[in-house]
Amino acid sequence: MTLHRIPAVLLLPSSPLPLLHRCCLSTLLSNHSAASHRHLSTDNHAPQPVIGQESVEVLGHTYPRDDFTNVTPKILEKVGRNLHNQSHHPLWLIKERIKAHFYSSYIGRWGNPLFSVHDNLSPVVTVEQNFDSLLIPPDHPSRKRGDNYYLNRKTMLRAHTSAHQRELVRSGLDAFLLAGDVYRRDEIDASHYPVFHQMEGVRLFSNHELFSKVQNGEELSLFERGGRRTPHKQEAHTLEAVKLVEFDLKNTLTRLVTHLFGEDLEVRWVDCYFPFTHPSFEMEVRFQGDWMEVLGCGVMEQELLNSAGAGNKAGWAFGLGLERLAMVLYGIPDIRLFWSEDERFLKQFRVTDIEQSICFQPLSKYPPLHNDISFWLPKSKDGQESFTENDFYELVRSIGGDLVEKVSLVDEFTHPKTGRRSQCYRIIYRHMERTLTQQEVRLVHGQIEHSAQTKLGVEGRY
């Protein structure tokens, strides 16, 4: 997991998915009597967002613009779509399978589900929620304007659902699942999209809850004074507490992935680092002969729990990407398909049982068209290059939208005398539902060329 680009427990790595040779993976039965379980209601009839000269309107609220505002109309079109809450959408199916597993496997003392579910929290959050509440330092590169969608300096579209962790813990919740849409400026290819969906889980333990089943547990404690931080524990925690929390976390996640992928699944754990958990781990599963990362997790930083008013408890958190799981489990080859309204795509997921195996049947593969764009990179007043690749990707995406399948850097050149650098990008266009003509692609490409010069300050070589 690349920390500077993926700053939260819930995010998965930016590496492409392995080639999908098969789908229809085995599943287990689970109880899906979800009607009686606690969850937030879903309302997809959100007001249309507007970007004005002085403000941005989204989800019925108005936010003043400033020098950090970089959200685009194409991105705001996605806010409020809530694919994870659209019945029988593949992302909804994955979310419901995870919910059903937790509902049936973890029961509270009164017979009700232990984990509550929250899937309709607004994606508009404060910068403090998105970063500070998770102990992400002020100078951390994950805060960069080029990597996020800002409404203004204080408000943004969440980059991870972990932005809500502290508020839910502060409300008194000890065990919850959280799902939602998240937003990040990124590259353009079949496994990256500026809007994707995450689901995370949090579980907290009091001293009694953690040690009640341990022999002489009344003599053990979550915390110790004068402790020191090691690779295996935080300074506030006893080693006994960390080992029990870690065991419960790994056991919970192993049960979840074997439920999704099948009983014969091979699992391994890899140590890693996040600012908000310690120790931290990534889970990898053996899929089609290769090890594939499916989630990140760890023991929550005690400072985070202290700030949320739960300083007398310790806990774990995990997070996973719903698109990643759906692409693997159902054999969906292109992340843009999740936003398709083509009935040939959607009808394949209208099943009576959410545990039913589904093997996605590809729509007709329409031919791609590619055009190259070359330009000299601009320099700022101090002589430094002011161009970033994410700015170019965002410009292409804002003009070409889902017609653009992939953008890749194919050539770089440095002038031997002037030292100026130029880059050449290949843009691949492909419509998901019909054949594109070179004429209509050329119109879009021409707009990209013009906008690159006027908005990014590049000098075209075309």
Side-chain angles (χ1 to χ4, degrees), residues 252-297:
T252 299
L253 293 176
T254 299
R255 292 179 67 184
L256 173 62
V257 296
T258 53
H259 167 75
L260 294 174
F261 287 87
E263 288 284 9
D264 297 329
L265 187 71
E266 290 184 69
V267 173
R268 73 178 183 186
W269 298 94
V270 179
D271 293 337
C272 61
Y273 165 78
F274 306 117
F276 29 78
T277 56
H278 180 79
S280 304
F281 314 97
E282 291 170 348
M283 174 193 269
E284 296 182 348
V285 301
R286 189 75 130 172
F287 181 72
Q288 299 177 355
D290 294 316
W291 288 103
M292 180 184 71
E293 182 189 333
V294 293
L295 57 85
C297 62

Side-chain angles (χ1 to χ4, degrees), residues 41-82:
S41 63
T42 300
D43 180 7
N44 289 324
H45 303 290
Q48 290 298 308
V50 177
I51 299 181
Q53 292 292 325
E54 303 295 332
S55 63
V56 178
E57 295 181 25
V58 56
L59 297 179
H61 296 276
T62 300
Y63 304 90
R65 295 187 59 162
D66 61 23
D67 60 324
F68 245 58
T69 305
N70 66 352
V71 68
T72 65
K74 289 283 187 186
I75 294 302
L76 287 185
E77 285 176 4
K78 310 295 185 184
V79 177
R81 288 281 300 275
N82 296 332

Side-chain angles (χ1 to χ4, degrees), residues 136-314:
I136 297 172
D139 59 349
H140 199 278
S142 65
R143 294 176 180 252
K144 287 190 304 184
R145 184 172 178 269
D147 287 350
N148 300 283
Y149 291 105
Y150 285 92
L151 302 182
N152 53 44
R153 281 186 172 270
K154 294 184 178 180
T155 317
M156 63 189 297
L157 297 178
R158 64 189 171 206
H160 41 244
T161 49
S162 299
H164 303 286
Q165 263 188 25
R166 188 177 65 183
E167 66 192 80
L168 291 178
V169 171
R170 183 174 283 163
S171 72
L173 296 176
D174 287 343
F176 58 84
L177 300 175
L178 171 61
D181 45 331
V182 299
Y183 299 77
R184 181 162 358 107
R185 290 160 61 108
D186 211 338
E187 56 198 282
I188 302 175
D189 60 33
S191 61
H192 292 85
Y193 202 80
V195 190
F196 52 104
H197 298 76
Q198 298 179 338
M199 192 164 190
E200 70 181 77
V202 168
R203 175 90 187 268
L204 305 184
F205 301 90
S206 66
N207 211 83
H208 173 74
E209 288 170 325
L210 191 61
F211 296 116
S212 62
K213 297 181 181 179
V214 178
Q215 187 175 4
N216 299 322
E218 66 279 0
E219 301 175 6
L220 300 176
S221 174
L222 292 174
F223 307 111
E224 65 178 2
R225 291 186 177 182
R228 63 187 183 90
R229 179 172 291 246
T230 73
H232 307 291
K233 63 180 277 305
Q234 299 170 38
E235 51 269 30
H237 296 154
T238 64
L239 187 60
E240 295 85 2
V242 170
K243 289 303 178 184
L244 282 177
V245 172
E246 181 182 325
F247 175 81
D248 188 85
L249 168 64
K250 291 181 176 179
N251 184 57
T252 299
L253 293 176
T254 299
R255 292 179 67 184
L256 173 62
V257 296
T258 53
H259 167 75
L260 294 174
F261 287 87
E263 288 284 9
D264 297 329
L265 187 71
E266 290 184 69
V267 173
R268 73 178 183 186
W269 298 94
V270 179
D271 293 337
C272 61
Y273 165 78
F274 306 117
F276 29 78
T277 56
H278 180 79
S280 304
F281 314 97
E282 291 170 348
M283 174 193 269
E284 296 182 348
V285 301
R286 189 75 130 172
F287 181 72
Q288 299 177 355
D290 294 316
W291 288 103
M292 180 184 71
E293 182 189 333
V294 293
L295 57 85
C297 62
V299 178
M300 297 177 72
E301 282 283 354
Q302 197 59 37
E303 184 181 342
L304 193 159
L305 293 178
N306 293 345
S307 70
N312 63 330
K313 298 176 180 179

Side-chain angles (χ1 to χ4, degrees), residues 387-427:
F387 174 88
T388 66
E389 286 192 6
N390 271 1
D391 286 341
F392 179 65
Y393 294 145
E394 192 58 34
L395 181 142
V396 172
R397 186 180 282 119
S398 66
I399 296 173
D402 287 352
L403 293 182
V404 179
E405 179 176 86
K406 184 176 182 180
V407 179
S408 54
L409 180 64
V410 294
D411 188 41
E412 290 188 274
F413 170 73
T414 300
H415 195 284
K417 292 184 178 180
T418 65
R420 296 183 70 191
R421 285 203 312 137
S422 74
Q423 292 182 337
C424 177
Y425 290 87
R426 176 155 297 166
I427 304 176

